[in-house]
Amino acid sequence: MSVNNVVFYDFDHCREFLEDHAKYLRDTSAGLNILGLYRELFHGFSNEALESEAIVLGQFDQGLVYMFVPEPLKKEYYPSGHKVAQKKALELLGTTEPPMALELHAAQDMEPPLQEKARYDKWMQPDLITLLNEGVIEIHMYFNSHAFYEQILLPSLQQHGFQPADSYLTSARSGYVRVRHPAAPGKLYKLPWLTWVREMLAGGYSLAYIMALLGNYMLKMNTSVGQAPPSVGNS
């Protein structure tokens, strides 16, 4: 659908492609490339934004909305369109809480540096790299980080006895989720979840990438406090 030069596709519209592409990646790829579910969508949605001269929103997951902005419609040139797009992104996410918002080019260059495997210039087609680097197209991400924290991240940690040391808001601002465990009360564990989100964005990965990293961290933390290996995301 289209409103005020803003085109949007909800998750139901994207679901069939995502399911088919996930199966294709499982059959043809290996390692982390299996999780690169959004890479084809980055190219397709960027092309649509450029060809239609519109801001294009795509909901690739219930908690993730990506926004593709051609240069003439950047926020400084078209603020009213961005208000419409941001309102629609919140509507698609189903939240009144401010989402975590990142722009791809800027997110890749933030500190700390990303792993090479999670940089868009390591997997993206050269023509799109050029368009991004020259500002011809922008790719923004809106992540319902509050719901992810409350419904997935925190329950996964608490299932194994870890308790948050900070509020969600503090964790969102600092970029780290800090937790303690009663078996090691003097030790503070830090999960760099902002870096994980940046890697998901720049790597074209699905949320399964963050879950894989969380699983690895949980394994290390459980070993540290002498617990059995975790089962992340399961009750």
Side-chain angles (χ1 to χ4, degrees):
M1 298 182 66
S2 177
V3 178
N4 288 16
N5 234 31
V6 177
V7 179
F8 52 91
Y9 299 94
D10 63 15
F11 183 58
D12 285 339
H13 185 97
C14 299
R15 187 196 305 267
E16 185 176 354
F17 171 84
L18 289 164
E19 290 175 350
D20 289 345
H21 195 54
K23 182 179 185 304
Y24 171 79
L25 290 175
R26 289 194 298 270
D27 292 342
T28 62
S29 302
L32 286 174
N33 287 328
I34 293 175
L35 306 181
L37 187 58
Y38 302 152
R39 295 176 178 181
E40 287 296 318
L41 290 171
F42 279 15
H43 289 94
F45 276 71
S46 294
N47 287 336
E48 178 171 347
L50 292 168
E51 292 171 3
S52 63
E53 298 182 339
I55 297 173
V56 179
L57 296 176
Q59 186 178 20
F60 298 169
D61 189 277
Q62 297 284 7
L64 282 171
V65 172
Y66 288 81
M67 181 170 73
F68 300 80
V69 184
E71 186 173 17
L73 299 181
K74 287 183 178 180
K75 190 173 184 178
E76 57 263 39
Y77 306 135
Y78 190 39
S80 62
H82 279 257
K83 287 182 180 179
V84 171
Q86 289 164 2
K87 181 179 179 181
K88 187 61 186 178
L90 287 176
E91 181 183 322
L92 290 170
L93 291 173
T95 181
T96 57
E97 295 287 340
M100 189 180 289
L102 294 170
E103 188 273 319
L104 175 57
H105 184 69
Q108 177 161 283
D109 292 337
M110 289 168 60
E111 293 293 334
L114 299 183
Q115 302 179 67
E116 288 292 304
K117 65 188 178 185
R119 295 179 59 88
Y120 70 77
D121 51 17
K122 299 302 179 184
W123 61 265
M124 191 175 282
Q125 294 177 11
D127 58 340
L128 186 52
I129 293 174
T130 299
L131 294 175
L132 281 166
N133 291 345
E134 294 181 355
V136 178
I137 187 78
E138 290 181 348
I139 300 177
H140 298 255
M141 180 191 70
Y142 296 99
F143 174 41
N144 192 350
S145 52
H146 182 264
F148 180 80
Y149 177 90
E150 294 289 344
Q151 299 172 16
I152 299 176
L153 182 57
L154 201 55
S156 295
L157 292 164
Q158 291 174 331
Q159 179 182 349
H160 294 272
F162 294 94
Q163 297 297 325
D166 306 304
S167 67
Y168 160 75
L169 196 56
T170 298
S171 299
R173 288 171 175 168
S174 70
Y176 290 91
V177 174
R178 305 190 310 164
V179 296
R180 291 189 171 90
H181 195 281
K187 191 163 186 176
L188 193 64
Y189 299 89
K190 295 173 62 176
L191 288 74
W193 77 319
L194 175 56
T195 299
W196 295 352
V197 175
R198 288 170 55 217
E199 289 181 350
M200 177 181 67
L201 169 59
Y205 297 123
S206 68
L207 274 169
Y209 176 79
I210 293 182
M211 297 306 297
L213 294 179
L214 176 59
N216 287 336
Y217 259 70
M218 290 286 289
L219 180 61
K220 294 175 183 178
M221 293 191 304
N222 274 281
T223 300
S224 176
V225 298
Q227 293 195 130
S231 178
V232 174
N234 296 325
S235 58

